């Protein structure tokens, strides 16, 4: 399907690693560690159903080909070090989650942040109602040296916010290890719908060509997103 016409991949030859491919779409070298497999299937099957102005063409995959491509991405285009420092965790009990939620309120976190069932007094901090379901690729680690996983991110944001974001307004909390683990457990359980859902549908402006083919050819031209790579009359 000529994916590297638009996307780049890191290829190592000997001691040299370089990017090959196009620069229209994002680099795919480690994308298998960043995306949800179900989302990947839906995206490859019909990009415009997720993002109406997506530049990626809609390919007519057979189920077998779609399976092969997604398996390749999920198993080969990954970051082997991504989960190397993730500590093992058992499933939290409801009592542990409630303890963390109580500490979240007692320590003043709810003054700035939203969690499920709690509205903030101010709107300083981001909504944490779905923090536990976030992929590592959605987190901003800045220049910090902490392990790239959600648990380390949460605990660094609580104990040393400036290490992750030098412009953070969040205070630095001095918590006992037990209290820190309890709050982390509560935040990891926050996987539901955002408390304040004000996100608009993402729309990316699509560059328009001066020429719009008409008739049956025009329909095919639009359907297969030919304008992503090709132009008529400039």
């Amino acid at each position: 399907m000529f994916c590297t016409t638009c996307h780049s991949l890191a290829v190592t030859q000997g001691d040299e690693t370089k990017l090959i491919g196009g620069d229209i779409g994002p680099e795919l070298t480690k994308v298998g560690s960043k995306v949800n497999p179900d989302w990947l299937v839906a995206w490859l099957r019909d990009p415009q159903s997720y993002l109406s102005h997506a530049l990626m063409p809609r390919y007519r995959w057979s189920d077998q080909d779609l399976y092969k491509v997604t398996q390749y991405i999920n198993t080969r285009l990954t970051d082997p070090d991504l989960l190397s420092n993730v500590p093992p965790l058992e499933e939290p009990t409801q009592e542990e989650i409630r303890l963390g939620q109580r500490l979240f309120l007692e320590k003043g976190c709810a003054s700035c942040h939203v969690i499920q069932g709690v509205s903030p007094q101010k709107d300083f901090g981001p909504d944490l109602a779905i923090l536990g379901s976030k992929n590592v690729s959605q987190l901003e680690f800045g220049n910090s040296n902490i392990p790239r996983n959600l648990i380390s991110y949460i605990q660094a944001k609580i104990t040393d916010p400036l290490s992750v974001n030098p412009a953070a307004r969040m205070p630095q909390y001095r918590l006992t290890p037990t209290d820190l683990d309890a709050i982390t457990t509560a935040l990891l359980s926050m996987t539901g719908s955002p408390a304040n859902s004000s996100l608009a549908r993402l729309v990316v402006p699509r560059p328009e060509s001066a020429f719009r083919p008409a008739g049956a050819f025009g329909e095919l031209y639009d359907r297969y997103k030919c304008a992503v790579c090709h132009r008529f009359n400039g």
Side-chain angles (χ1 to χ4, degrees):
M1 290 297 179
F2 306 105
C3 301
T4 51
T5 300
C6 296
H7 298 278
S8 60
L9 289 171
V11 176
T12 300
Q13 296 178 336
D15 296 330
E16 182 182 7
T17 299
K18 60 182 180 180
L19 288 177
I20 63 170
D23 59 1
I24 297 175
E27 181 189 345
L28 300 181
T29 304
K30 299 178 180 180
V31 71
S33 297
K34 299 178 180 180
V35 299
N36 180 285
D38 292 335
W39 177 89
L40 179 61
V41 171
W43 170 261
L44 291 175
R45 192 182 297 279
D46 185 4
Q48 285 71 39
S49 68
Y50 176 78
L51 182 63
S52 61
H53 289 78
L55 296 179
M56 181 169 169
R58 180 182 179 184
Y59 293 106
R60 303 298 182 181
W61 305 96
S62 67
D63 289 342
Q64 184 178 15
D65 286 347
L66 185 59
Y67 174 79
K68 290 179 179 178
V69 170
T70 54
Q71 285 297 301
Y72 175 78
I73 292 174
N74 288 327
T75 58
R76 300 291 298 276
L77 302 184
T78 58
D79 183 354
D81 298 322
L82 183 63
L83 301 178
S84 59
N85 295 312
V86 177
L89 285 179
E90 297 180 357
E91 192 71 21
T93 65
Q94 287 301 311
E95 182 179 354
E96 290 172 330
I97 293 174
R98 284 194 293 270
L99 172 61
Q101 291 172 337
R102 178 174 61 79
L103 289 170
F104 187 90
L105 297 174
E106 289 180 357
K107 299 299 182 181
C109 306
S111 296
C112 299
H113 294 283
V114 175
I115 61 172
Q116 294 164 21
V118 177
S119 297
Q121 299 172 13
K122 307 169 186 176
D123 60 355
F124 287 161
D127 188 338
L128 303 180
I130 57 170
L131 179 60
S133 63
K134 285 196 172 183
N135 191 284
V136 173
S137 63
Q138 298 175 280
L139 307 177
E140 296 291 341
F141 288 90
N143 295 322
S144 65
N145 295 320
I146 63 174
R148 266 37 180 180
N149 61 69
L150 183 55
I151 295 172
S152 298
Y153 172 82
I154 291 174
Q155 297 197 338
K157 287 284 287 185
I158 294 172
T159 59
D160 190 6
L162 297 182
S163 69
V164 180
N165 179 9
R169 293 181 290 179
M170 180 173 170
Q172 184 173 354
Y173 288 97
R174 303 293 184 183
L175 301 176
T176 66
T178 300
D179 286 353
L180 179 61
D181 287 344
I183 292 178
T184 302
T185 299
L187 292 175
L188 289 173
S189 74
M190 298 290 115
T191 58
S193 301
N196 293 329
S197 182
S198 59
L199 297 178
R201 182 177 177 84
L202 178 62
V203 176
V204 178
R206 178 183 175 184
E208 293 292 335
S209 171
F211 174 76
R212 305 301 300 171
F217 173 69
E219 293 179 4
L220 291 172
Y221 183 86
D222 288 334
R223 182 188 307 168
Y224 292 105
K225 304 294 179 182
C226 301
V228 173
C229 300
H230 302 281
R231 292 289 183 270
F232 286 94
N233 294 343

